[in-house]
Amino acid sequence: MPKIKVLIVDDSAIVRQVLSRELSMDSELEIVGTAPDPYVARDLIVRLNPDVITLDIEMPRMDGITFLKKLMYYHPTPTVIVSSLTPKGGVLALEALEAGAVEVMCKPGPSYSVGDLSVELVDKIKAASRTDAKKLRKGNLVNMVSDKSRLAMTRTTNKIVAIGASTGGTEAIKAVLKTLPPESPGIVIVQHMPAGFTKSFADRLNDLCEIDVKEASNRETVSPGKALIAPGNKHMLLKRSGAMYYVEIKDGPRVCRQRPSVEVLFYSVAKYAGPNSVGVIMTGMGSDGAQGLLEMKNSGAITIAQDEKSCVVFGMPMEAIKLGAADYVVSLKDIPRTILENT
């Protein structure tokens, strides 16, 4: 089986050295080159034709986002952003995801060991290598759900909608939430993202959507017209007090190698909302959320999985479908309508 060819683009010689050493330890990866800036990277991409690129955002001569937009236009290549965790970086990372990046990772630092980085980055590179780069061009996923097709609410309800996604999920979630009307059921979301990025992600969605979108805080209520996104590096669970739903934000071990974990959210929704809920599992690598979606279905919830054609990575939905956890398997553009028809 041929190795996955990886090109590392970063202005820091130390980071290039660390990433090259750590990634080379995996037998499925081959580091075919490194570049200190986008101009050198451009020439190497043409010559080496890598399967995946790791890309810094802040670099000399040309910033990473500008380069990424050009790359996706002229030579679409699955790209993983490896960035510092700063408030500014969080916003820039979201712009990179919108421009076509597959995933966002943080550089090694006080809050992130090299060992943690290498394990997670290897997984993301392998997921990226299986993506169709043409699906990652700016706006491609969002345009699958046109603003003109904004859905009218069929009936008012206090149901809970739980959504889980990973690779490719930021744009897919945007596509779904932008289409939902302001009176939509309360929504809880786990998107695999590092700490520091989820607030920027939520703020960006809040500016674009008719519903309110925010990063969840502990014991915050879940109510119609509002979507809560799990904070990076924290688990989010649904709880209930009488007729009121709220979320609990907590630490804890990684589940399915993830924190936040879709599995944790879905199991809590099955327990506290059961038949009063709808579960949606979307594009992403691995199996996080598959068993949880089955638990939701067994508790009486309506369950939805994104189909292979519209996924950037058909991992999580595929595993759920294999388990028989999905009542519906639909394209990205049909997910909002399926949610509303079942709430």
Side-chain angles (χ1 to χ4, degrees):
M1 183 176 177
K3 292 188 175 183
I4 299 167
K5 297 185 295 181
V6 181
L7 175 67
I8 298 168
V9 185
D10 197 293
D11 65 323
S12 167
I14 294 175
V15 171
R16 296 197 302 272
Q17 182 182 23
V18 169
L19 293 184
S20 295
R21 182 185 70 239
E22 293 295 317
L23 297 179
S24 295
M25 293 180 184
D26 191 283
S27 61
E28 295 180 32
L29 305 184
E30 177 187 1
I31 309 305
V32 295
T34 66
D37 63 56
Y39 289 93
V40 176
R42 176 193 59 192
D43 296 336
L44 290 177
I45 290 167
V46 172
R47 179 160 59 89
L48 301 173
N49 195 30
D51 299 308
V52 178
I53 297 169
T54 71
L55 179 65
D56 190 15
I57 291 179
E58 298 180 350
M59 291 184 293
R61 304 178 70 188
M62 181 187 296
D63 69 88
I65 294 175
T66 300
F67 175 66
L68 182 62
K69 291 176 180 178
K70 293 178 181 292
L71 177 69
M72 287 301 165
Y73 183 80
Y74 292 106
H75 195 290
T77 306
T79 301
V80 178
I81 296 296
V82 182
S83 174
S84 298
L85 286 178
T86 63
K88 180 182 177 183
V91 174
L92 292 175
L94 289 175
E95 291 181 15
L97 288 165
E98 292 175 348
V102 175
E103 284 282 10
V104 174
M105 284 284 299
C106 55
K107 288 182 177 178
S111 63
Y112 217 102
S113 74
V114 171
D116 289 336
L117 172 86
S118 59
V119 170
E120 192 170 351
L121 183 54
V122 164
D123 284 346
K124 292 185 185 302
I125 288 172
K126 290 178 180 179
S129 71
R130 295 194 288 271
T131 65
D132 180 352
K134 292 179 180 178
K135 291 182 179 179
L136 300 172
R137 286 183 175 178
K138 184 177 181 181
N140 194 46
L141 283 174
V142 176
N143 289 337
M144 294 176 68
V145 184
S146 169
D147 285 342
K148 294 180 181 178
S149 64
R150 192 173 300 278
L151 302 173
M153 193 70 171
T154 53
R155 58 182 182 272
T156 302
T157 146
N158 290 319
K159 287 199 173 184
I160 297 294
V161 177
I163 298 175
S166 184
T167 311
T170 54
E171 291 296 280
I173 288 170
K174 181 199 297 184
V176 170
L177 297 191
K178 281 182 66 176
T179 311
L180 294 176
E183 65 272 27
S184 297
I187 303 170
V188 285
I189 300 170
V190 164
Q191 162 68 46
H192 296 159
M193 295 183 82
F197 291 159
T198 42
K199 185 178 187 305
S200 297
F201 178 48
D203 290 346
R204 178 70 59 86
L205 290 179
N206 191 57
D207 290 339
L208 297 172
C209 299
E210 291 190 10
I211 62 173
D212 293 328
V213 185
K214 62 175 296 190
E215 182 185 63
S217 57
N218 192 42
R219 299 193 65 82
E220 184 164 4
T221 59
V222 183
S223 55
K226 181 165 69 173
L228 299 178
I229 297 177
N233 204 35
K234 299 282 187 180
H235 288 307
M236 182 170 74
L237 296 81
L238 182 75
K239 294 295 183 74
R240 185 172 184 170
S241 177
M244 181 189 75
Y245 290 105
Y246 66 94
V247 293
E248 180 180 353
I249 308 299
K250 61 188 296 184
D251 294 316
R254 292 175 181 267
V255 177
C256 297
R257 303 176 73 173
Q258 303 293 337
R259 188 176 56 236
S261 167
V262 180
E263 201 87 321
V264 170
L265 175 64
F266 281 2
Y267 267 90
S268 69
V269 174
K271 179 178 180 179
Y272 289 101
N276 202 41
S277 63
V278 173
V280 185
I281 194 163
M282 297 171 67
T283 176
M285 177 185 177
S287 61
D288 187 26
Q291 289 284 351
L293 194 72
L294 180 61
E295 187 74 8
M296 286 189 66
K297 181 177 180 179
N298 290 340
S299 74
I302 298 297
T303 55
I304 302 166
Q306 186 178 351
D307 70 0
E308 182 174 10
K309 187 175 181 180
S310 64
C311 279
V312 171
V313 176
F314 189 54
M316 288 159 50
M318 178 183 69
E319 295 301 323
I321 293 166
K322 283 181 180 178
L323 292 175
D327 293 313
Y328 300 91
V329 179
V330 299
S331 67
L332 176 62
K333 68 182 179 62
D334 291 327
I335 288 176
R337 186 176 303 281
T338 308
I339 289 172
L340 295 179
E341 287 176 348
N342 286 280
T343 54

